[in-house]
Amino acid sequence: MGMAEKPVIGTKTMVVSPHYLASAAGARMLEKGGNAFDAAVAISATLAVVYPHMTG
């Protein structure tokens, strides 16, 4: 870990994906009351747009 990087500590929820927009979509789904499956679908849909060559 570099000097400028700070660790991220989650206290309620955490979403991880290979693109920040997909992570933001999943996090927003959870904020609006969705569950992990809802967040996964939102992430997958976003990845289909931002990383179409990496989704199947």
Side-chain angles (χ1 to χ4, degrees):
M1 189 178 304
M3 296 289 272
E5 296 178 23
K6 293 183 181 181
V8 177
I9 299 171
T11 58
K12 295 182 182 181
T13 62
M14 186 171 290
V15 177
V16 178
S17 78
H19 197 281
Y20 76 97
L21 290 175
S23 294
R28 183 164 174 126
M29 186 60 68
L30 293 175
E31 287 172 0
K32 292 190 168 277
N35 58 29
F37 184 80
D38 297 327
V41 171
I43 290 168
S44 182
T46 305
L47 287 175
V49 174
V50 297
Y51 277 166
H53 57 287
M54 298 295 286
T55 56

